[in-house]
Structure formats: C-alpha cells, structure tokens
Amino acid sequence: MNIENKKQWTTTEDNQLIDSFGRHITYVRISVTDRCDFRCVYCMSEDMTFLPKKDVLSLEELERLCSAFIKHGVKKLRITGGEPLVRRGIMTLFNSMTPHLQSGALHELTLTTNGSQLHRYADDLVKAGVKRINISLDTLHEDTFRKITRWGRLPQVLDGIKAAQDAGLKIKINTVAQKGVNDHEVPDLIAWAHSQGMALTLIETMPLGSTTGDITDVYLPLTEMRAQLEKRWTLVDSNDRTNGPARYVDIKETGGRLGFITPLTHNFCDTCNRVRVTSTGTLYMCLGQENCIDLRSPLRASEKDDLIHDAITRAIMDKPQKHDFKIDPEKRIPAVSRNMSVTGG
Ligand code: SAM
Ligand code: SF4
C-alpha cells in the first residue's frame, strides 16, 4: 500500500491493519493512565513514580486516537491502565465511543478494572454501551487482599462488583495465581464466581517491570493449577478462542467457564490480533517485545489525523512474530522492562 497517497481517511478494505505475517489487527488495548489507587505487588512498587501529566494523552487526544484505530478497522477497544476509572473525566472517553458502537464500526467497548470505582460508574458504563467488563480479583480474604494490593479495600471492590451486576454488566473475574499467596484459595474463588454467573480467568504472573514483590518466587505454572482443579472438577475443553493467550474450559459441576492465560507460552502468537497503546501514546506491537512507535507526536503535530493514520499503518508492519518473555531464576530480572500499569493489561 502506498502510504503517501492515503490522505482521505475512510474505512475501506485497503486501510485495514494487516501485519507482515498476515495477521489482521482488530483489537486495541489502550491505557488511559498509569496511575492507580492500588499498589499490587506484582504490578507496581509502593513508591511508584508516575508520569508527568503533560506526557499523558488528554481525553481529547485519546478520543482522536481511538477513532483513528476504528477507521482502520479496529473492532474491539479495551480501556485499561493503571486504573482506568481513577482518570478524571473518563466517562467523556467512553461516551465519545458510543456513536462508533451505534454505527456498527466498533463491535465492542470494554474495560479492565480493579473494581474500586465501579459503584460510581457501573450505570454510566452501561449507558455508554459497555456490555462486558473484566474485574481483577485475586482473593476473597481481606488480609490477603491487603497483602496483594497494599492499598486496596476488599469490601469496596465487592460493592463495585455488585453494582456492575445490578447494572446488567457481564463480568469476567481475572485472578493472578500466585504460589503460596492465593493458590489454595483458587477453587473457592472459581466456585464463588460461577455461583454468581461470572466467568473467571486465571493469569500466570508475568516478568514485567520493576516491582518490589518477587514474581519468580510466586510464579505458578497454570498447568499445575489445572492438574489440581481436575482432581476436584470435570474440566471440558472449550473451542472458544480469543486470538489471545487465553484458553477456556467449562466446569461441568459449576456450569461456569474458566480461562487460563499463559503468556509465557508462544501458542497464541500466530493468531494475535491485538496491539497496545500506553497513556503517553506509545504503540506497542507486542506485550512481550520492545518494538514501539510514538503516536503522541503525530497527534500533537497537527489537528488533522493524516499523520496518525500514517504512523499506525507503518507501525503495524513492524509487529514482531512472537513475544520474548523469560523468567530468569538466576538473575531474577524481567524480560521486559516496562510495568503492566504502563502497557495496560
Ligand atoms: N487496574 C486494572 C486492573 O487491575 O484490572 C487494569 C490494569 S491491570 C495492569 C490489568 C491486569 O494485569 C490485572 O488483571 C492485573 O492483575 C494484571 N497484572 C498486572 N501485573 C501483572 C503481572 N506482573 N503478571 C500478570 N498479571 C499482571
Ligand atoms: Fe493497579 Fe491494576 Fe496494577 Fe493492581 S494490577 S496496581 S489495580 S493497575
């Protein structure tokens, strides 16, 4: 495609995002802030330094960027962070995406949240067109919750989950399985979620960024967890695929769905359909690689969107074939230096 000639931006067959391995990019996860009201041990250090506000995209810039991706055929947007719902005025962004949902250009608008602000926003999210959300929750015990999140309060999150249920949102709970921290509790969490009609997905800890918690110590391969769960329940493999690192089973006894996210394996890279954007407008083509391109400069350089479209088109061709995560038990250093709160989960 001749990028230089693409100045009139409407969604057409030839401005769909297809990378050099033939993968169609239709899913963008965008972090709207690196800030958070929690300090989860596997995600941030307690004295985390946050980005200067001037470096973070304004809500208007975020809207322009999301709309640009939609013009390129992106069908699913996940708003994440940091904690997306602590960003002041965040509903402006959700509401600005509603027309794209109504026109059918965007198929799904969703978010990943720690649940702390859902009591305030659940109804507004539904009004904006959000139907499903992911809520992160690793334990149902207040003391373990405090140990993991450092600053979080479990009752507030449970209230948030209740508000989301009452508002009619479909909920998936995301649980980071951590050896010696919450692994013994995982069956109870699954039973609890399924009893309330919520799916639950287990996540392996990932070696990202600098945290004061030691991720290698708590790393628990989900193959081990699955073997344990199989002693208790009948797990039936599901054919559902997300083009991401999640694999699903249905549990016969609970009637609910359980996912396993194993990002350290490579078995999903072939069908990867997603890219990630940080709150400063850096587009990362892969969670586990450093390839990136700055979208903030083209956004700020011109009120027109031509420069952003050109940058996105060029960037996608640079999407790596697969990620490169490693946990090095000797050196205990992460393979990728940026924290999850920067790239977004
Ligand atoms: N604050 C929101 C939340 O917690 O859901 C959204 C952002 S958070 C970075 C997104 C997801 O990443 C959460 O489910 C969190 O548990 C997960 N996460 C953060 N750091 C991780 C790590 N090192 N390994 C695995 N999952 C991680
Ligand atoms: Fe905040 Fe989510 Fe990171 Fe926990 S995982 S510190 S809630 S961004």
Side-chain angles (χ1 to χ4, degrees), residues 162-223:
K162 172 87 175 42
Q165 287 169 329
D166 291 348
L169 286 164
K170 214 168 155 204
I171 300 171
K172 192 178 79 177
I173 301 289
N174 279 343
T175 302
V176 179
Q178 300 151 72
K179 192 182 259 172
V181 180
N182 67 347
D183 47 348
H184 58 287
E185 208 199 311
V186 164
D188 289 347
L189 262 167
I190 296 170
W192 167 80
H194 287 184
S195 73
Q196 303 198 29
M198 300 185 289
L200 185 142
T201 292
L202 295 169
I203 309 177
E204 270 176 3
T205 49
M206 283 180 265
L208 297 174
S210 60
T211 53
T212 48
D214 194 332
I215 274 177
T216 35
D217 278 352
V218 299
Y219 176 66
L220 174 67
L222 289 184
T223 42

Side-chain angles (χ1 to χ4, degrees), residues 75-77 79 91-103 106-111 121-133 167-170:
K75 301 288 178 222
K76 178 168 173 179
L77 265 185
I79 309 295
M91 282 315 301
T92 315
L93 178 64
F94 281 97
N95 292 334
S96 69
M97 291 298 111
T98 310
H100 294 303
L101 286 169
Q102 287 166 342
S103 74
L106 181 64
H107 293 175
E108 187 172 11
L109 174 64
T110 183
L111 90 151
Y121 289 122
D123 288 332
D124 292 342
L125 288 167
V126 171
K127 278 187 204 132
V130 175
K131 293 196 162 61
R132 306 192 297 175
I133 59 172
L169 286 164
K170 214 168 155 204

Side-chain angles (χ1 to χ4, degrees), residues 44-73:
M44 294 185 186
S45 61
E46 193 157 15
D47 58 352
M48 189 79 182
T49 312
F50 293 108
L51 295 161
K53 291 225 166 94
K54 67 173 176 34
D55 291 351
V56 173
L57 298 185
S58 67
L59 290 168
E60 193 208 357
E61 288 165 340
L62 285 165
E63 179 193 339
R64 280 177 64 200
L65 196 52
C66 290
S67 298
F69 275 111
I70 294 166
K71 281 195 179 150
H72 275 289

